[in-house]
Amino acid sequence: MKTKKELISIVISCYNEEESIPLFYQEIIKVAKEMANVNFEFLFINDGSRDKTLEILRNLSKKDKRVRYISFSRNFGKEAAMFAGLEHSKGDYVTLMDADLQDPPSLLPKMFKIIKEEGYDSVGTRRVTRKGEPPIRSFFARMFYKLINKMSKVEMVDGARDYRLMSRQVVDSIISLQEYNRYSKGLFSFVGYETKWLEYENVERVAGETKWSFWKLFKYAIEGIVAFTTVPLTIATFMGILLFLIAIVFIFIILFKTLVFGDPVSGWPSLACIILFCSGIQLLCLGIIGEYLSKTYLETKKRPIYIIKETEKSNV
Ligand code: UDP
Ligand code: MG
């Protein structure tokens, strides 16, 4: 009896990747050839690139029927690209990859074998080194993971990549989370399921340069914290309570001093310090509340996560 071959969808988000895509395509067809017992679909998401990425994808999809693409109307960010890819993928298994070969396609056969033979629902990858990355960036990344894991119940694995192979069930669960402010690393652990982690050494990108500035990463980190924990709000409340208690003690001390010893005018430097300190904390807390409020504001608008301008079906 001949059973139907299973389908693996490879979702690749691309933003200005004209140099990397041809190299990536070569690698991926090699892997596809190796894994002859499964069918493949290569679903490229063009995230509003301003270079020749779209042209390259059009040509590839004409040449190779396994290549599909979705092209956004503008740059919506990698999170939106991954989400669109998951929503449009047809495979029994889906994997997310970067176009720059930093997620080695050569790991795929091993990942597939683990899911098939060891009964895991998904296989994630994490890099154990951050070779080739600026040290200051690695330092902040490590701090971020320490911090968020202390605050959030959902576990975030340090060094975890978005590169992972998932069964259809996992993918459908992730798609069912329709939030606008997406922080995938958190969403992956939020949905649960059995995940095995494969470790590998960091690989530097083959061509082009990283699309993440330090500032973009910083904002992404805040997004992760706001999306997965409300601990900062609790910290704000505690700071408020603590300052309130200190204030009461001070009021008594000052009253006592004034009544017993009279009121020589002194101590304005300490007063200035106290005012500065308290107003600083107030502004900080307002800022924290503002972060949550702004995310809530964006969620209530229910805007689409991405807008498609063109797909491979547009030009047949
Ligand atoms: N990417 C994207 N939209 C963006 C930024 C990046 O689709 O707004 C894609 C990019 O083309 C690449 C992947 O996301 O395939 C990872 O980006 P990059 O290599 O710049 O990040 P890094 O590996 O440095 O973290
Ligand atoms: Mg990269």
Side-chain angles (χ1 to χ4, degrees):
M1 194 181 78
K2 210 178 150 199
T3 46
K4 208 169 144 272
K5 272 192 192 178
E6 285 180 307
L7 178 69
I8 298 184
S9 301
I10 299 181
V11 171
I12 312 107
S13 43
C14 313
Y15 177 51
N16 296 343
E17 297 283 6
E18 58 180 8
E19 294 161 66
S20 317
I21 292 175
L23 301 168
F24 176 84
Y25 178 69
Q26 272 175 10
E27 279 301 307
I28 203 72
I29 51 172
K30 257 191 244 158
V31 173
K33 221 179 243 161
E34 240 176 79
M35 299 171 72
N37 53 346
V38 262
N39 285 331
F40 278 92
E41 134 183 293
F42 310 127
L43 178 53
F44 290 87
I45 317 293
N46 173 30
D47 184 13
S49 303
R50 282 197 203 103
D51 61 0
K52 297 211 175 63
T53 298
L54 180 58
E55 239 166 83
I56 296 175
L57 294 180
R58 280 190 194 128
N59 290 336
L60 274 182
S61 78
K62 269 185 214 141
K63 243 179 34 200
D64 184 343
K65 282 294 147 238
R66 294 172 296 180
V67 174
R68 295 172 58 203
Y69 69 85
I70 289 173
S71 185
F72 287 175
S73 58
R74 65 168 170 86
N75 178 251
F76 278 88
K78 191 187 173 193
E79 287 289 341
M82 291 193 294
F83 182 64
L86 293 179
E87 272 199 326
H88 289 83
S89 65
K90 297 181 182 149
D92 305 296
Y93 300 92
V94 182
T95 172
L96 297 164
M97 278 187 202
D98 286 1
D100 57 8
L101 288 175
Q102 275 191 306
D103 300 329
S106 52
L107 285 178
L108 199 58
K110 196 169 162 197
M111 289 158 89
F112 186 60
K113 206 168 151 218
I114 291 173
I115 286 201
K116 289 308 264 182
E117 289 174 9
E118 297 179 29
Y120 285 93
D121 304 294
S122 81
V123 182
T125 58
R126 64 183 282 255
R127 31 180 202 176
V128 280
T129 57
R130 286 176 173 271
K131 194 180 64 184
E133 202 182 57
I136 182 100
R137 194 159 149 174
S138 308
F139 171 75
F140 278 109
R142 291 232 160 81
M143 292 272 292
F144 166 71
Y145 281 109
K146 275 215 181 98
L147 193 71
I148 197 162
N149 278 322
K150 282 234 164 69
M151 293 197 291
S152 168
K153 283 197 199 88
V154 173
E155 201 205 344
M156 317 269 172
V157 180
D158 186 2
R161 304 274 308 169
D162 293 323
Y163 179 27
R164 48 177 61 230
L165 181 67
M166 295 167 277
S167 69
R168 187 78 244 166
Q169 201 184 7
V170 179
V171 174
D172 287 341
S173 305
I174 290 170
I175 297 171
S176 73
L177 306 173
Q178 292 275 342
E179 60 206 75
Y180 180 79
N181 296 290
R182 302 187 74 78
Y183 182 74
S184 284
K185 286 191 177 77
L187 299 180
F188 291 140
S189 20
F190 177 86
V191 296
Y193 297 103
E194 293 295 319
T195 304
K196 177 159 180 160
W197 292 97
L198 281 185
E199 295 183 347
Y200 72 100
E201 301 257 322
N202 191 26
V203 189
E204 290 185 46
R205 64 162 40 241
V206 277
E209 52 189 54
T210 176
K211 313 293 181 297
W212 292 89
S213 62
F214 190 79
W215 178 236
K216 247 178 147 180
L217 276 177
F218 181 72
K219 284 204 298 197
Y220 190 56
I222 300 270
E223 194 132 303
I225 293 175
V226 174
F228 280 92
T229 163
T230 50
V231 169
L233 286 175
T234 320
I235 294 176
T237 314
F238 273 109
M239 276 200 292
I241 294 173
L242 192 71
L243 278 180
F244 175 69
L245 293 178
I246 293 175
I248 288 185
V249 172
F250 263 76
I251 287 172
F252 277 113
I253 293 175
I254 290 166
L255 265 182
F256 179 76
K257 265 177 76 176
T258 320
L259 290 176
V260 177
F261 302 107
D263 184 23
V265 179
S266 68
W268 78 266
S270 53
L271 197 63
C273 290
I274 292 169
I275 291 175
L276 280 179
F277 178 69
C278 290
S279 46
I281 288 192
Q282 278 175 6
L283 281 181
L284 175 71
C285 294
L286 267 184
I288 294 174
I289 296 169
E291 279 298 324
Y292 283 89
L293 188 67
S294 68
K295 298 292 172 205
T296 320
Y297 173 63
L298 285 174
E299 293 293 345
T300 53
K301 282 179 192 271
K302 294 228 175 301
R303 283 186 178 156
I305 296 166
Y306 56 86
I307 293 168
I308 296 175
K309 187 175 169 201
E310 178 186 327
T311 70
E312 80 282 353
K313 294 197 188 79
S314 315
N315 60 1
V316 272

